[in-house]
Amino acid sequence: DVKVTQSSRYLVKRTGEKVFLECVQDMDHENMFWYRQDPGLGLRLIYFSYDVKMKEKGDIPEGYSVSREKKERFSLILESASTNQTSMYLCASSLPVEDNYGYTFGSGTRLTVV
Amino acid sequence: DQQVKQNSPSLSVQEGRISILNCDYTNSMFDYFLWYKKYPAEGPTFLISISSIKDKNEDGRFTVFLNKSAKHLSLHIVPSQPGDSAVYFCAASKNRDDKIIFGKGTRLHILP
């Protein structure tokens, strides 16, 4: 069974802390994505990656960075956490477009910045 | 600028009746459309998809209809069951671009 695993379900961090959200997929997918979900705003794309060491900005990259050193792992980094980054963070992976039947999502990380 | 729009934030339907969730899109380059279902504290799960070469795709109780001229798609669930209570996201992508654009979601409540 295919799987996208996010390392933490719940996190509480202080303002100004550097935060790492980890995502690992076991499907040998090339494409990986980070979204955040907020009430009334739906899913918004933060960053995505089509290959190792590649990264592309999504719609709301400000305050975030990413790292993809290995194909199976895609990390989201909050350089200096702020309260407006309190959100549900969702990682997803997918095959290239020829096999485009959608994303597989992880269970999400609910981050609270205090 | 929202490219995928779900104009109804919520919808309540009696158990056993038909649920119809609507979605509009503005980008004529989209040619692949998806619906995802999300329970609280879980990631979205893929439900059903449709390519722009079709106008209907059916999978059990779920049917997606696509009207390209109106840039509109809908998800029909019949009969609706209590476990269908969730947030439903409409999504779309272009053929040569795997990035998927999501709508804001519609919360479906199935009433007993």
Side-chain angles (χ1 to χ4, degrees):
Chain A
D1 199 14
V2 296
K3 222 174 199 182
V4 176
T5 303
Q6 294 183 231
S7 54
S8 303
R9 292 297 301 270
Y10 300 95
L11 274 180
V12 180
K13 296 291 181 181
R14 295 192 181 278
T15 301
E17 273 194 80
K18 190 169 186 176
V19 181
F20 292 85
L21 302 182
E22 305 289 344
C23 176
V24 177
Q25 51 97 359
D26 65 359
M27 298 165 283
D28 202 34
H29 283 175
E30 295 184 8
N31 307 333
M32 296 188 75
F33 308 82
W34 274 105
Y35 286 84
R36 62 179 281 178
Q37 184 199 1
D38 301 287
L41 297 177
L43 296 169
R44 293 182 293 167
L45 181 62
I46 305 171
Y47 265 97
F48 59 104
S49 169
Y50 286 156
D51 201 352
V52 175
K53 296 194 185 294
M54 283 185 59
K55 59 184 179 183
E56 298 282 345
K57 291 180 180 179
D59 299 321
I60 51 164
E62 295 79 19
Y64 303 94
S65 63
V66 290
S67 171
R68 186 126 183 242
E69 296 296 320
K70 294 184 178 181
K71 190 175 184 180
E72 67 270 18
R73 186 180 295 271
F74 192 35
S75 303
L76 180 70
I77 304 157
L78 286 67
E79 297 290 343
S80 176
S82 63
T83 54
N84 63 13
Q85 292 179 309
T86 291
S87 185
M88 166 73 93
Y89 289 88
L90 293 158
C91 175
S93 71
S94 74
L95 288 172
V97 67
E98 289 79 7
D99 292 299
N100 187 359
Y101 44 77
Y103 297 168
T104 301
F105 280 90
S107 297
T109 296
R110 182 161 294 283
L111 172 68
T112 303
V113 182
V114 297
Chain B
D1 180 30
Q2 258 191 290
Q3 298 185 66
V4 178
K5 301 179 183 179
Q6 293 177 259
N7 292 320
S8 298
S10 67
L11 175 68
S12 294
V13 174
Q14 207 75 34
E15 183 180 353
R17 307 292 291 266
I18 183 171
S19 295
I20 300 176
L21 295 93
N22 292 303
C23 178
D24 298 296
Y25 61 96
T26 58
N27 192 334
S28 57
M29 298 297 291
F30 287 146
D31 69 352
Y32 188 71
F33 304 89
L34 311 94
W35 285 93
Y36 279 81
K37 176 180 179 179
K38 186 181 184 300
Y39 293 118
E42 293 184 14
T45 54
F46 172 75
L47 196 57
I48 193 169
S49 64
I50 187 167
S51 164
S52 61
I53 62 173
K54 296 184 176 181
D55 55 18
K56 177 182 174 181
N57 188 25
E58 195 171 351
D59 183 3
R61 295 186 299 114
F62 303 92
T63 303
V64 56
F65 295 92
L66 176 63
N67 182 334
K68 283 180 63 179
S69 61
K71 294 192 179 69
H72 177 84
L73 62 154
S74 61
L75 174 68
H76 292 212
I77 307 172
V78 55
S80 300
Q81 298 175 353
D84 297 331
S85 293
V87 177
Y88 289 79
F89 290 100
C90 174
S93 70
K94 303 174 194 174
N95 192 29
R96 293 297 178 187
D97 183 345
D98 200 32
K99 187 173 68 173
I100 294 178
I101 308 297
F102 287 85
K104 291 185 176 182
T106 296
R107 183 174 298 278
L108 176 64
H109 299 271
I110 303 302
L111 306 171

